Amino acid sequence: YRESSVLVLSPETLSGEVEVSDADLQQAYEARRAQFETPERRALEQAVVPSEDAAKAIAEAWRGGADLAAIEAQARAADGGAADLGLLDRAALPIADVAAAAFAAAPGAVTDPVRSAFGWHVLKVVRVEPATTRTLDQVRDQLRRDVAHDRALDLAYERANRVEDALAGGATLAEVAQRFALPIVSATLDANGHDQADAEVALPVAAAQRAELLRAIFAARQGDAPRMTEM
């Protein structure tokens, strides 16, 4: 068993010192607007055949009520093919003319044949999901947390230098914890993080960092001066 003291400096421990104003939120919202915008998406079916006449015949059959299975058979007979493309935004269609036709058509409509290097394309718009934009009010809480975390991260780097200076000057962990209002935990534990009653000891780090912290504790030599380790 080892008796150790652990002090943690992280954005979470410093978040209480960070204030985010409404003006800060508005500025962050404008800077990150793309995160809150979802482009229009369309569920599309497509047939591609080598000749314009075959493409026109497919468009006519589709408009007459033929289903995708029938269109696929008709396309194969014309040395082409047909498929359900799924739900796509405009950027997911790499051929500009095909994308323009697909996103100009009304829901349920079938496009006129569009030519590309791959042949003649005919598309059916099965469903349309309109573009959406989440407003600042809708994302205010999330945005406040994100901005506060980013600022706390900057503050943590600045504070780390001051903590290292204090430790180099001979301050104890307890003194550093008090001076900078940082959490400190002292515990007796084994290499698995359990106490002498075999209960798991609570440590002031995320679960994913627990094993790394235990390794650091058991790699240190008894009586060594405290040092900062980035995790």
Side-chain angles (χ1 to χ4, degrees):
Y1 292 92
R2 290 197 166 196
E3 182 181 352
S4 300
S5 294
V6 179
L7 178 147
V8 175
L9 170 64
S10 70
E12 289 73 26
T13 62
L14 299 176
S15 59
E17 300 182 32
V18 176
E19 293 185 4
V20 181
S21 68
D22 288 343
D24 294 332
L25 288 178
Q26 183 66 49
Q27 183 178 9
Y29 178 77
E30 295 301 331
R32 308 180 191 195
R33 180 181 287 272
Q35 298 178 17
F36 309 121
E37 294 178 341
T38 301
E40 178 184 313
R41 299 193 301 172
R42 294 186 164 210
L44 300 170
E45 296 172 349
Q46 176 183 244
V48 183
V49 290
S51 76
E52 183 179 12
D53 288 342
K56 288 180 177 179
I58 285 174
E60 183 178 355
W62 228 339
R63 288 168 183 152
D67 62 13
L68 181 60
I71 294 299
E72 187 176 9
Q74 187 173 343
R76 281 201 307 267
D79 295 326
D84 183 347
L85 300 183
L87 193 61
L88 305 172
D89 61 27
R90 187 166 183 151
L93 290 170
I95 303 171
D97 289 345
V98 172
F103 278 77
V110 174
T111 68
D112 290 331
V114 178
R115 189 176 187 179
S116 80
F118 301 99
W120 290 87
H121 302 248
V122 180
L123 297 104
K124 180 177 181 179
V125 181
V126 179
R127 187 175 81 256
V128 175
E129 289 188 359
T132 60
T133 300
R134 287 182 288 166
T135 66
L136 175 56
D137 285 341
Q138 289 173 318
V139 301
R140 184 179 299 275
D141 292 342
Q142 172 195 335
L143 196 57
R144 188 182 300 278
R145 287 191 297 270
D146 291 346
V147 172
H149 181 273
D150 291 346
R151 292 187 177 180
L153 188 60
D154 293 337
L155 182 60
Y157 281 112
E158 180 271 333
R159 189 67 52 82
N161 293 328
R162 295 171 61 190
V163 168
E164 286 191 310
D165 289 344
L167 293 174
T172 66
L173 276 187
E175 290 168 343
V176 169
Q178 184 175 14
R179 185 183 308 176
F180 297 107
L182 297 174
I184 185 171
V185 168
S186 296
T188 299
L189 42 70
D190 63 16
N192 294 316
H194 291 184
D195 64 17
Q196 290 163 308
D198 202 30
E200 186 172 273
V201 175
L203 296 173
V205 293
Q209 298 173 323
R210 185 178 176 89
E212 185 179 354
L213 175 57
L214 289 170
R215 285 194 297 270
I217 290 173
F218 278 80
R221 294 181 301 177
Q222 181 177 346
D224 279 353
R227 64 185 182 88
M228 181 171 289
T229 301
E230 184 174 357
M231 300 177 68

